Amino acid sequence: VSDYRYRGISQTRFGPALQVGADLVHGSGAYAGAWATNIKWIKDFGVDGGIELDLYGGYKTEIAKDISVDVGALRYQYGGNKLGSVKGYTDANTTELYAALSYGVATLKLSRAMTDLFGNLGPKGQSSKGSTYIDLSATLDVGAGISFTPHLGRQNVENVPDASYTDYSFTLNKEYSGVVFGLSLVGTDASESFYVPGPAAKSSQFLGKTGLVISAKYNF
């Protein structure tokens, strides 16, 4: 990807990312997987933490015609991260539980943090445990082998009101010779003072600004 945007916020300070993942799916509906990417946002604080590894597992099943549910847990692991040594933050590693309901082409999903969310703490050191993210998306076939995916999400960061925001994206995907090419318009209404690189980056860039992301994905 030309920029790793997570919930609308750039994780690579608008730089490219190489990402790889693998999934194991059982016929019962149970699944497990792992996904990894390079990041920059932790290093922007002047501490270690350049890789994100996501470990997840859950269960997905159809409960009625065109209706399915998906429940599971996701662990964001930032190997060797030292974010907790930065004043006002704690360890970046985060665990979330999630539940999703899909009907036809649309999916509504709720995620809830069971730990502090990505190292965020309140102004008096309050925990951000219990933070939630809710998003609604759909995948539409618009013809010529092109899919269109609109998305709207709301991130609430417990005890850190300046960190809460709404994000949106509009994505076009098309497969060619086994590679899925994507073009996304991504934006947020996040706080321009909160979502800037860490002090070591010496940058005032707003990481939630509207921008285009180009991607190429190969499934095997």
Side-chain angles (χ1 to χ4, degrees):
V1 292
S2 60
D3 177 17
Y4 171 27
R5 291 281 189 124
Y6 182 72
R7 297 177 180 172
I9 305 297
S10 178
Q11 308 294 291
T12 48
R13 211 183 337 142
F14 307 113
L18 179 63
Q19 304 169 336
V20 61
D23 293 300
L24 178 64
V25 182
H26 190 268
S28 66
Y31 63 87
W35 183 86
T37 180
N38 58 288
I39 59 169
K40 187 174 286 185
W41 68 272
I42 296 178
K43 285 188 171 183
D44 280 347
F45 285 90
V47 296
D48 293 341
I51 297 293
E52 174 187 334
L53 174 63
D54 298 347
L55 303 171
Y56 50 89
Y59 178 75
K60 185 176 182 178
T61 187
E62 187 173 72
I63 58 174
K65 180 176 173 57
D66 296 327
I67 302 176
S68 63
V69 294
D70 181 4
V71 295
L74 170 58
R75 174 70 171 180
Y76 304 85
Q77 193 75 26
Y78 302 94
N81 86 85
K82 303 296 184 183
L83 189 61
S85 66
V86 178
K87 184 179 180 180
Y89 291 86
T90 187
D91 183 78
N93 296 333
T94 300
T95 299
E96 287 187 334
L97 300 182
Y98 59 84
L101 177 67
S102 298
Y103 176 66
V105 299
T107 298
L108 179 66
K109 183 177 181 180
L110 174 66
S111 301
R112 181 180 176 84
M114 308 309 292
T115 61
D116 291 308
L117 186 73
F118 307 126
N120 284 293
L121 294 175
K124 297 182 180 180
Q126 306 101 311
S127 173
S128 58
K129 179 180 178 180
S131 298
T132 58
Y133 183 73
I134 185 168
D135 71 285
L136 178 64
S137 62
T139 301
L140 309 171
D141 183 353
V142 296
I146 300 173
S147 66
F148 172 60
T149 303
H151 155 89
L152 181 66
R154 176 66 185 176
Q155 176 73 73
N156 175 66
V157 183
E158 195 73 12
N159 292 315
V160 195
D162 287 348
S164 299
Y165 64 93
T166 299
D167 74 286
Y168 63 87
S169 65
F170 302 96
T171 302
L172 293 172
N173 285 313
K174 182 175 176 61
E175 183 177 349
Y176 181 77
S177 297
V179 179
V180 179
F181 295 94
L183 177 65
S184 300
L185 175 68
V186 185
T188 75
D189 69 352
S191 167
E192 294 191 22
S193 60
F194 188 90
Y195 285 99
V196 296
K202 298 180 180 179
S203 171
S204 60
Q205 290 177 296
F206 171 42
L207 299 178
K209 71 178 183 179
T210 301
L212 291 174
V213 176
I214 301 171
S215 63
K217 180 179 181 179
Y218 179 67
N219 296 309
F220 58 92

